[in-house]
Amino acid sequence: MAKCALYPGSFDTLTLGHLNIVARSARLFDRLVVGVTDNPRKRPLFRRDERVEVLRGECARFPNVSVSPFDGLTITYAQSIAASVIVRGLRAVTDFEYELQIAIANHHLDPAIETLFLPSEPAFSFLSSSVVKEIARLGGDVRSFVPAAVAAALEDRFAREPDA
Ligand code: ADP
């Protein structure tokens, strides 16, 4: 049976670290769905449809990857697309406790769906959406951290709304 995985996240903003996880997961599964949601713990800079559009552009080169927005529980969405695996990236120990809590809760909700943690590529292990946004807000060059389309969108956003 074709193996489908879900890579969920808020992707606000998309970084090369996220894309590295997409590329590596796409090799492991027949089908990978990148699910774009809103994290209630974070206030997004970009609307969800903007994040979906950017991801679709960057993921177009992977034939088995699709991008979709979703609401509600990740596990419910994983069930609805028949994903048997949820992929998450781990940068450092600091990610681990939160990710482990979520993974255990998801396992409890549906033991048939496994969470797979992929360790960040060392080059991206310091890279977070919030650091990228902070650098861009202060006028720094983020082109080595994010795809060109994201760098342009950040520049445009902070030029129009410096306090966004
Ligand atoms: P969420 O708001 O759900 O945490 P994020 O967009 O911040 O979503 O992250 C989505 C996933 O990508 C998470 O599993 C996160 O650990 C992972 N991730 C974020 N940045 C990196 C990176 N630089 N390298 C590897 N994985 C990353």
Side-chain angles (χ1 to χ4, degrees):
M1 210 181 76
K3 275 261 175 215
C4 173
L6 169 66
Y7 177 34
S10 44
F11 305 105
D12 181 65
T13 70
L14 179 66
T15 69
L16 297 180
H18 291 130
L19 283 176
N20 176 257
I21 298 290
V22 171
R24 288 158 62 200
S25 322
R27 284 200 297 267
L28 295 175
F29 300 99
D30 300 304
R31 197 159 67 87
L32 178 74
V33 176
V34 182
V36 184
T37 189
D38 289 315
N39 185 335
R41 298 165 15 135
K42 303 174 186 168
R43 191 177 71 88
L45 178 66
F46 291 104
R47 292 194 318 269
R48 193 165 47 171
D49 60 298
E50 294 174 315
R51 285 176 266 145
V52 167
E53 193 184 309
V54 163
L55 261 158
R56 284 197 175 133
E58 298 301 325
C59 294
R61 63 193 146 111
F62 306 108
N64 61 337
V65 176
S66 60
V67 179
S68 284
F70 76 97
D71 286 305
L73 279 177
T74 300
I75 200 82
T76 309
Y77 183 59
Q79 289 164 337
S80 76
I81 58 168
S84 53
V85 172
I86 293 171
V87 175
R88 295 285 287 178
L90 279 186
R91 281 161 293 185
V93 240
T94 41
D95 277 344
F96 187 69
E97 197 171 346
Y98 171 70
E99 293 292 341
L100 189 63
Q101 277 177 9
I102 306 276
I104 291 171
N106 282 337
H107 186 73
H108 186 78
L109 292 170
D110 187 342
I113 298 180
E114 296 288 357
T115 297
L116 176 71
F117 293 123
L118 289 184
S120 176
E121 204 69 68
F124 301 129
S125 61
F126 66 96
L127 194 52
S128 74
S129 298
S130 41
V131 166
V132 166
K133 285 185 279 192
E134 219 34 60
I135 295 172
R137 179 178 281 119
L138 298 171
D141 185 353
V142 292
R143 282 173 301 178
S144 53
F145 307 136
V146 299
V150 173
L154 281 166
E155 198 178 313
D156 180 60
R157 185 64 201 264
F158 288 123
R160 283 187 291 116
E161 257 183 275
D163 298 323

